[in-house]
Amino acid sequence: MTSTPVIARTRDELDAVLKDARSPDAPLAFVPTMGAMHAGHEALLREGRQQGETLVASIFVNPTQFGPGEDLSRYPRTFDADLAMCAREGADVVFAPEPDQVYRDGDPLVTVDPGPLGGELEGRFRPTHFRGVLTVVAKLFGLVRPDVAVFGQKDYQQLVLVRRMVRELALGTRIVGVETVREFDGLALSSRNAYLSPDRRRDALGLSHALRAGVSAAADGRVAVLKAAGAALMSYPGLTIDYLELRSPDLASAPEAGEARLLIAGRVGAARLIDNLPLTLGDGSEE
Ligand code: PAF
């Protein structure tokens, strides 16, 4: 059943609507987004609906997580379609503030330091990104006060860092990660896919193909995984790889054997895309 969510544009409106929408002994679930929603967001909202009696989504393109020269001004904004998706997926409230509602005093003087992991992988290429992400997530948690919040595994490093922030700062929100949604040919859904021409889209497929090639070599150990993924990338000269790394599930060094994560980032034209997959490494005895 579709019913239009209540839209809150300001902190006061959010407080007022949450007073009515929150039930005292049932969980409130929160799905933070930057809008430009696609089937990946649909999966997050659906999970949020399962997790909470009340479902709140936010739509806010957070300026502090974009570095100089990144795509803040051209980031796709599709509010009406986003709202329709939130309605279809049963959101009760959509918080859609302007930056001055979130950053009332301008650029924040107090921010959340993501720690050393914030400077690795994505952080090597976007040095201020995770500080911006964690700061806005902490602020949104403070405003919405969710019992549970839902994030996609597509932004895997973000998910790991949000979990760590919640644990280390004792924020008390349970974090749920949702599997990446892919197109029929394996391309991970991303709002940034909107930047891809058909040719560039073909190049972008190299990311998921490399990951899949790596995963299929997992039984043979770490070296074999990276070799197989690297070989797959040879067929995609239009794709410039920023990193291809094998790590543990919490993004420390990859183990010799057992659960691990293969992560990749690359650029096709002006679009920067990321992807990752879980895998189980063999003991490498075949290396
Ligand atoms: O994943 C996103 O869309 C954003 O990084 C988030 C978590 C909404 C913070 O702006």
Side-chain angles (χ1 to χ4, degrees):
M1 204 183 75
T2 298
S3 68
T4 310
V6 179
I7 302 171
R9 296 271 184 194
T10 65
R11 291 185 184 203
D12 290 346
E13 285 173 11
L14 181 68
D15 279 347
V17 72
L18 286 183
K19 221 171 256 161
D20 292 338
R22 191 190 299 275
S23 43
D25 9 77
L28 183 145
F30 178 43
V31 179
T33 82
M34 298 210 299
M37 289 187 186
H38 47 66
H41 296 98
E42 201 167 60
L44 302 184
L45 291 164
R46 212 157 276 177
E47 182 64 32
R49 188 64 281 168
Q50 295 298 314
Q51 296 282 342
E53 174 71 23
T54 304
L55 175 59
V56 179
S58 63
I59 298 175
F60 177 61
V61 182
N62 171 39
T64 67
Q65 70 189 73
F66 291 78
E70 289 186 358
D71 54 348
L72 173 60
S73 59
R74 66 189 185 102
Y75 195 83
R77 284 158 170 89
T78 57
F79 184 75
D80 291 344
D82 296 344
L83 190 61
M85 181 177 285
C86 290
R88 272 198 312 278
E89 297 308 322
D92 300 291
V93 179
V94 170
F95 181 43
E98 291 298 322
D100 63 356
Q101 282 297 311
V102 177
Y103 298 105
R104 272 191 174 163
D105 305 314
D107 277 347
L109 298 178
V110 175
T111 57
V112 180
D113 182 346
L117 179 57
E120 299 173 25
L121 297 162
E122 278 301 283
R124 268 179 38 228
F125 297 87
R126 309 183 70 191
T128 57
H129 176 63
F130 289 115
R131 179 182 296 276
V133 169
L134 293 190
T135 300
V136 82
V137 169
K139 264 175 178 283
L140 291 169
F141 281 10
L143 295 170
V144 176
R145 283 169 289 116
D147 300 293
V148 50
V150 182
F151 291 81
Q153 292 181 6
K154 155 93 178 8
D155 295 299
Y156 190 75
Q157 191 175 2
Q158 166 175 286
L159 174 62
V160 169
L161 283 168
V162 166
R163 282 208 163 108
R164 190 168 291 177
M165 171 179 77
V166 166
R167 194 173 61 243
E168 294 193 5
L169 301 184
L171 298 183
T173 298
R174 190 162 59 81
I175 304 300
V176 174
V178 171
E179 217 175 284
T180 303
V181 178
R182 297 177 182 279
E183 292 194 33
F184 68 99
D185 52 7
L187 185 70
L189 292 189
S190 162
S191 305
R192 290 189 166 98
N193 291 353
Y195 302 148
L196 300 171
S197 65
D199 279 354
R200 296 296 195 194
R201 191 188 175 288
R202 259 191 302 278
D203 294 333
L205 271 178
L207 296 177
S208 56
H209 284 181
L211 291 177
R212 287 208 302 237
V215 170
S216 59
D220 294 332
R222 296 182 298 192
V223 172
V225 166
L226 292 172
K227 220 158 117 185
L233 288 171
M234 304 296 273
S235 311
Y236 296 90
L239 175 61
T240 307
I241 294 302
D242 283 343
Y243 60 83
L244 168 68
E245 286 202 34
L246 194 53
R247 296 273 182 123
S248 68
D250 62 357
L251 298 181
S253 309
E256 290 267 326
E259 299 302 298
R261 203 93 194 175
L262 184 60
L263 303 104
I264 193 165
R267 283 164 286 130
V268 272
R272 191 163 180 290
L273 302 170
I274 60 175
D275 199 355
N276 69 86
L277 277 179
L279 66 169
T280 306
L281 293 167
D283 63 7
S285 55
E286 303 296 310
E287 282 172 20

